[in-house]
Amino acid sequence: MPSPRRPSDIATPLLAWYDRHHRVLPWRAPPGAPPMEPYRVWLSEVMLQQTTVPAVVPYFDKFLRRWPRVEDLAAAPVEDVMEAWAGLGYYARARNLHKCAQAVASKLGGRFPDTEEGLLELPGIGAYTAAAIAAIAFNRPAAVMDGNIERVIARLFAIETPLPQAKPELRERVKGITPQQRPGDFAQAMMDLGATVCTPKSPNCLICPLAAMCKARKAGIAQALPRKATKVGRPVRHTLAFLLERDDGAVLLRRRPPQGLLGGMLEVPSAPWRETPWQNGEALKHAPTDCDWQPMPGETEHVFTHFALKIAAVHGRISAREAAKLDGLWQQPREAALPTVMKKMLRLLPQEAAAKSTKSRRAAPARS
Ligand code: SF4
């Protein structure tokens, strides 16, 4: 078959494939059925930015149970929303999610705009999310392009320009093949094809409904696409975490300032995150209190988008009376709703480290 000329050349076989092989997801209507309510589509699309489907499902269910309508989410304290989001990463999204819910509830009577232009006016909704909501919730023929779709398009048209420079060209191609009929299903079919068949490392061209018109398959370069511009190394920062325990095992946490990285989330107190490693004792001037700080063995690391954070830790213990004099919150380590980087810090606590080493000793015979 020649390369595709009309949207239906791709849409027809793709939608037929989607009707049989679509993924069943809690925010998704079955193929051909009326769309889910925009609140669900919006919530899932915001959660899915930079995050995988399996990671999002439990958060999506939790948010809907707790805040079944956009008005409920708008009325919730932002701290509750941030805590429910803890672990999903990219916390500015949670803050914008709340702002967006408030805008929809207070200015738009609880109804999401049904066009890309209208959606783009809302906090936290960028070009991709606006197109996805317009297509999936309102059946508009918007050109939706997430990471999965980028890959499928780069292969289908054998686009060799590396990402991110290739994005405008990829978007034009998506526009050219998006059908007027069932555009929401079409966008979701492209996503599913990328996630289950045209996968990053091993595209399964043998079962692909678009194989006959795929230029990269024909040229034998499918696996090599999309090409990516060479990345420069990620900078490294260093900190020292202060694991301060009260005598009942609760640990000291603080709330971060509302703006900036992890804005508004709970944190373990730590020395400033800087480019040079902290020397022994040097970081203690940033400790939340004076006590007998003991260095903890080992280190942990957390990778953010723009840098990696190397974390060493010291541990201290104080009485309930001394604890009451300090600013912050005291929570049991396993009960606190924390971002992943903070959970990693708490895993350096002596009892957590001991539990980990006992577990790995117990597991050792099974490996031999
Ligand atoms: Fe991807 Fe292969 Fe299908 Fe082309 S034929 S779209 S490379 S799975």
Side-chain angles (χ1 to χ4, degrees):
M1 185 189 269
S3 61
R5 290 175 194 283
R6 292 165 301 151
S8 58
D9 291 345
I10 289 180
T12 304
L14 184 67
L15 287 168
W17 172 84
Y18 181 68
D19 290 344
R20 291 194 306 277
H21 300 291
H22 61 276
R23 289 178 295 175
V24 175
L25 300 172
W27 48 82
R28 188 182 262 188
M36 283 272 183
E37 54 173 318
Y39 173 55
R40 290 175 182 234
V41 175
W42 162 73
L43 187 60
S44 66
E45 286 301 332
V46 176
M47 287 182 167
L48 284 163
Q49 292 163 17
Q50 321 276 347
T51 314
T52 61
V53 166
V56 163
V57 171
Y59 283 88
F60 179 81
D61 291 341
K62 174 169 69 174
F63 268 65
L64 270 193
R65 271 197 311 276
R66 203 156 163 192
W67 300 298
R69 300 168 317 136
V70 69
E71 290 88 348
D72 303 321
L73 184 59
V78 67
E79 292 77 19
D80 289 4
V81 176
M82 302 299 284
E83 280 179 26
W85 189 275
L88 256 187
Y90 300 92
Y91 293 91
R93 286 185 298 160
R95 189 167 290 282
N96 280 330
L97 184 89
H98 189 245
K99 277 192 199 149
C100 183
Q102 290 185 322
V104 172
S106 67
K107 296 185 194 147
L108 302 173
R111 294 169 74 90
F112 280 83
D114 63 0
T115 61
E116 280 181 88
E117 297 72 29
L119 288 159
L120 276 168
E121 300 280 313
L122 292 168
I125 298 194
Y128 163 73
T129 313
I133 300 170
I136 298 170
F138 299 108
N139 244 335
R140 302 259 181 203
V144 181
M145 207 177 66
D146 70 352
N148 281 323
I149 300 180
E150 272 176 7
R151 183 169 60 256
V152 174
I153 297 294
R155 289 173 176 171
L156 208 47
F157 295 94
I159 294 169
E160 300 224 29
T161 314
L163 285 168
Q165 294 94 312
K167 280 178 186 275
E169 188 181 353
L170 294 170
R171 185 165 289 113
E172 281 309 304
R173 293 289 192 173
V174 176
K175 265 190 201 163
I177 62 170
T178 299
Q180 295 295 319
Q181 301 295 321
R182 300 179 63 189
D185 281 352
F186 178 80
Q188 294 177 97
M190 289 290 277
M191 292 171 188
D192 281 14
L193 190 74
T196 62
V197 176
C198 193
T199 54
K201 293 209 175 105
S202 45
N204 195 346
C205 304
L206 284 177
I207 60 161
C208 177
L210 307 181
M213 61 199 87
C214 177
K215 289 187 170 179
R217 184 194 65 86
K218 204 167 164 198
I221 54 169
Q223 229 166 327
L225 298 184
R227 301 204 191 280
K228 300 213 170 119
T230 327
K231 273 194 186 157
V232 286
R234 216 182 236 115
V236 176
R237 293 190 197 163
H238 302 264
T239 189
L240 182 79
F242 299 105
L243 310 174
L244 186 59
E245 263 187 288
R246 204 167 56 182
D247 42 20
D248 64 349
V251 289
L252 178 66
L253 302 172
R254 299 184 304 209
R255 195 163 297 284
R256 289 175 69 84
Q259 303 307 329
L261 187 68
L262 306 172
M265 301 301 296
L266 287 177
E267 68 168 3
V268 175
S270 64
W273 302 1
R274 69 178 198 185
E275 283 166 20
T276 46
W278 289 94
Q279 300 304 318
N280 276 353
E282 181 200 6
L284 291 184
K285 62 175 181 275
H286 299 284
T289 188
D290 281 337
C291 70
D292 182 19
W293 292 108
Q294 296 296 318
M296 296 306 302
E299 239 194 19
T300 188
E301 184 180 86
H302 186 77
V303 178
F304 292 95
T305 319
H306 300 298
F307 66 95
L309 180 66
K310 289 195 181 291
I311 305 157
V314 288
H315 174 245
R317 208 181 281 279
I318 59 174
S319 68
R321 228 173 61 188
E322 291 164 326
K325 295 178 199 156
L326 298 180
D327 289 337
L329 283 104
W330 292 88
Q331 291 195 2
Q332 292 297 327
R334 302 244 167 132
E335 289 166 13
L338 291 171
T340 307
V341 59
M342 302 302 162
K343 286 187 186 157
K344 286 184 181 175
M345 290 185 187
L346 289 186
R347 278 185 217 131
L348 296 170
L349 276 163
Q351 58 276 32
E352 296 288 322
K356 199 168 144 202
S357 86
T358 311
K359 217 159 132 192
S360 62
R361 270 206 307 280
R362 282 206 199 110
R367 284 203 302 272
S368 59

